[in-house]
Amino acid sequence: MKRALLVIDVQNEYFTGKLPITYPSGSLDNILQVMNIAKERDIPVIVVRHTQPLENSPIFQKGSPEWELHPEIAKYPYDLLIEKNLPGSFTATELETWLKERNIDTVVISGYMTQMCCDTTARQAAHLGFSVEFLSDATGTLAFQNNGGAATDEELHRATLVAQDTFISQVINTSKWINNLEDNNEVHQ
């Protein structure tokens, strides 16, 4: 198994912008923890940044303070920065090619939002033949109400994880993921 850690859309929009992440608590700390473990074990870290293509978008507007990576993420070393305009990190990006050139067969999903960009990226990865590990407490979301109805942050997160663990991903929490690496004494080759 050769992994890469995807750190999806950990941008200021989710902290100081219009979409503050509220569930689960501690998700940013867990993302930073898995980034540290990945670095220690030579697991490539791929940071993904979302940009809304509309020039006057109220969210993720290129160049705005909210579009920038969260300061804690921005100071961490990473192997690749992916710029995307749609929920899936594979759509119109070099991600698939980059992973395949390095014989990576497993992607580890962390970041925001659980039910949108994390879910879409995990589904794309599975459809492309990658194994997927979806970190339940290193992903997160917020409550939504729209034409489809309303859901709390916890409901959205939980329902997405349940769906992901059915034929798409192995859903696992951060500490169990780290323990699995240690139990298997996995070192990235």
Side-chain angles (χ1 to χ4, degrees):
M1 185 176 288
K2 194 168 180 186
R3 291 179 174 87
L5 172 65
L6 302 184
V7 180
I8 300 171
D9 302 348
V10 185
Q11 294 166 256
N12 291 330
E13 191 69 62
Y14 290 124
F15 297 90
T16 57
K18 291 180 172 58
L19 300 169
I21 295 297
T22 54
Y23 188 86
S25 64
S27 62
L28 178 62
D29 291 337
N30 290 329
I31 292 166
L32 296 172
Q33 184 181 17
V34 295
M35 289 178 80
N36 276 327
I37 295 295
K39 185 177 187 308
E40 287 173 13
R41 297 193 175 254
D42 295 322
I43 296 170
V45 175
I46 300 164
V47 172
V48 181
R49 178 169 51 197
H50 187 81
T51 303
Q52 283 296 100
L54 296 175
E55 190 174 308
N56 295 323
S57 175
I59 57 172
F60 298 105
Q61 185 180 43
K62 188 171 186 150
S64 71
E66 291 77 22
W67 171 81
E68 296 292 338
L69 295 173
H70 184 282
E72 292 296 315
I73 299 299
K75 70 183 181 185
Y76 267 74
Y78 50 84
D79 297 277
L80 178 66
L81 176 65
I82 296 286
E83 301 281 353
K84 69 176 181 61
N85 300 118
L86 292 167
S89 299
F90 288 91
T91 304
T93 73
E94 69 271 29
L95 182 56
E96 180 182 9
T97 301
W98 194 92
L99 294 170
K100 288 185 175 177
E101 285 173 351
R102 287 152 184 83
N103 297 314
I104 293 167
D105 59 11
T106 303
V107 294
V108 183
I109 303 290
S110 70
Y112 305 123
M113 287 184 297
T114 309
Q115 80 284 2
M116 187 60 65
C117 298
C118 295
D119 180 72
T120 303
T121 298
R123 289 171 186 272
Q124 288 179 319
H127 291 188
L128 292 169
F130 294 97
S131 294
V132 182
E133 296 171 329
F134 200 108
L135 299 178
S136 62
D137 58 353
T139 52
T141 194
L142 59 146
F144 271 87
Q145 183 171 352
N146 57 31
N147 292 331
T152 68
D153 51 3
E154 190 275 336
E155 288 170 333
L156 274 174
H157 190 74
R158 182 175 38 81
T160 303
L161 296 179
V162 169
Q164 276 293 320
D165 203 61
T166 308
F167 303 119
I168 300 165
S169 298
Q170 176 193 11
V171 174
I172 187 169
N173 69 32
T174 298
S175 60
K176 177 89 169 124
W177 183 78
I178 293 167
N179 287 340
N180 287 351
L181 292 179
E182 291 170 357
D183 289 348
N184 295 326
N185 197 21
E186 290 188 29
V187 177
H188 207 64
Q189 302 295 336

